[in-house]
Amino acid sequence: MTEPRHPEPQPTLGGNAGMSSQYLEIRDLRVTFDGFTAVDGVNLTLLQGDLRFLIGPNGAGKTTLVDAVTGLVPATGSVTKSGVELLGSKVHKIARQGVGRTFQTASVFEDLTVLQNLDIAAGAGRSALTLLRRRKSVLPQIEEALETTGLSHLRDRKAGILPHGQKQWLEIGMLLVQDADVLLLDEPVAGMSHEEREETGHLLRRIGAERTVVVVEHDMDFMRAFATSVTVLARGKVIADGSVEEIQADPMVQQVYLGTTAAADVLEEA
Ligand SMILES: Nc1ncnc2c1ncn2[C@@H]1O[C@H](COP(=O)(O)OP(=O)(O)O)[C@@H](O)[C@H]1O
Ligand SMILES: [Mg+2]
């Protein structure tokens, strides 16, 4: 097994106090669509407390990587969580192992309230009737998720009328009540205001200390403010990983970004 180009960054946030801290280990991950290789031999080690940003130009394979880890597309290689192989397992089994993800477009139940959405997320395995009946008392983990995501005062609001930012926070809350400790968030702050981005960053820090959070993102300011480590993907391959400073100084990363339309955005935002 070859060593990564940079030594694995140590998490700077949270409770990684000598415990079995290696949460997700991705080895030689490969996804092919009709002969086109979208994810091309990716190796990634994600530790507890890591707030890892996964960046790269459009089409780099970021979403496909998340899809592969969560069982939505077939892949070869290996993805283990605390030693348990996930690859080849069904989507719900992977979720039950504590690996949760959000999508680029929010996927909450629009006609249900915030509380009902969280209830459903918490209730995998309970009957539909139980779920639809309004609960007299709110489960403690739901109460906690409401508080963590700052949605307590909106619990009876229909999810469909929430602004984009709050929908994303609700989705994150749904992962929390499912007990996900590896969270893969696909462009969670796209379309958010500056304030919403800031709040989201702090939310990710709050939940990230005891978990592993992977954020697929384009916003370089957001990355600089909140990433503990960064992986850069281009054409399905990891071309760099390390701290924000290391990534920004990496000539290959600069070249990849300068060669794409994403570069213009990056430079504008910088
Ligand atoms: N279901 C699919 N079938 C065929 N090609 C796909 C499919 N999903 C993604 N791709 C291709 O794989 C590449 C990576 O896509 P994606 O993972 O969505 O990139 P990113 O999220 O980094 O923008 C792109 O070239 C895309 O067109
Ligand atoms: Mg994508």
Side-chain angles (χ1 to χ4, degrees):
M1 195 123 306
T2 53
E3 285 298 304
R5 235 155 50 77
H6 301 289
E8 273 310 318
Q10 289 305 301
T12 55
L13 293 169
N16 176 28
M19 299 157 56
S20 143
S21 58
Q22 190 166 287
Y23 260 35
L24 207 68
E25 172 107 45
I26 299 176
R27 286 293 166 260
D28 199 29
L29 189 70
R30 222 169 278 274
V31 179
T32 304
F33 298 113
D34 289 329
F36 169 75
T37 304
V39 175
D40 194 0
V42 165
N43 294 309
L44 267 184
T45 302
L46 298 164
L47 303 176
Q48 183 180 18
D50 199 357
L51 185 42
R52 174 76 58 105
F53 275 59
L54 180 60
I55 67 168
N58 268 330
K62 305 182 295 297
T63 297
T64 306
L65 172 70
V66 173
D67 288 348
V69 171
T70 52
L72 284 177
V73 297
T76 62
S78 166
V79 179
T80 55
K81 179 175 179 252
S82 309
V84 177
E85 180 64 54
L86 302 180
L87 225 58
S89 294
K90 295 230 156 47
V91 172
H92 67 276
K93 289 224 168 113
I94 295 174
R96 223 176 283 152
Q97 289 290 331
V99 179
R101 62 93 54 89
T102 61
F103 292 87
Q104 282 179 250
T105 36
S107 55
V108 297
F109 297 101
E110 307 252 320
D111 289 334
L112 300 183
T113 66
V114 166
L115 194 54
Q116 286 168 329
N117 269 280
L118 291 169
D119 225 7
I120 284 175
R126 283 205 304 270
S127 78
L129 198 66
T130 319
L131 288 171
L132 287 173
R133 210 160 37 212
R134 183 174 269 249
R135 208 175 279 289
K136 286 196 193 77
S137 63
V138 177
L139 293 171
Q141 69 265 38
I142 292 183
E143 203 66 72
E144 199 182 326
L146 282 167
E147 232 161 79
T148 306
T149 54
L151 294 173
S152 294
H153 62 296
L154 299 171
R155 62 177 67 194
D156 296 319
R157 196 72 60 85
K158 280 212 168 140
I161 60 169
L162 295 178
H164 174 72
Q166 290 175 344
K167 267 188 203 163
Q168 284 286 345
W169 300 337
L170 174 55
E171 279 208 79
I172 292 170
M174 290 166 77
L175 298 181
L176 296 180
V177 300
Q178 282 165 37
D179 273 337
D181 51 13
V182 173
L183 285 78
L184 308 163
L185 311 176
D186 201 353
E187 304 199 20
V189 303
M192 281 190 189
S193 69
H194 181 73
E195 288 70 27
E196 286 176 325
R197 280 168 198 239
E198 287 283 299
E199 279 187 57
T200 305
H202 292 296
L203 169 59
L204 298 183
R205 282 210 171 148
R206 280 201 299 283
I207 65 174
E210 293 169 346
R211 300 181 179 84
T212 299
V213 181
V214 177
V215 182
V216 174
E217 200 38 69
H218 282 301
D219 181 334
M220 295 295 124
D221 285 336
F222 183 63
M223 179 195 86
R224 275 190 282 267
F226 294 105
T228 57
S229 64
V230 185
T231 296
V232 187
L233 208 62
R235 295 203 184 94
K237 290 187 198 302
V238 173
I239 60 160
D241 67 9
S243 67
V244 173
E245 293 73 27
E246 284 167 333
I247 291 304
Q248 287 186 308
D250 190 307
M252 215 190 329
V253 175
Q254 290 167 359
Q255 193 188 333
V256 161
Y257 271 98
L258 287 169
T260 68
T261 47
D265 299 335
V266 171
L267 294 174
E268 255 166 48
E269 276 164 14

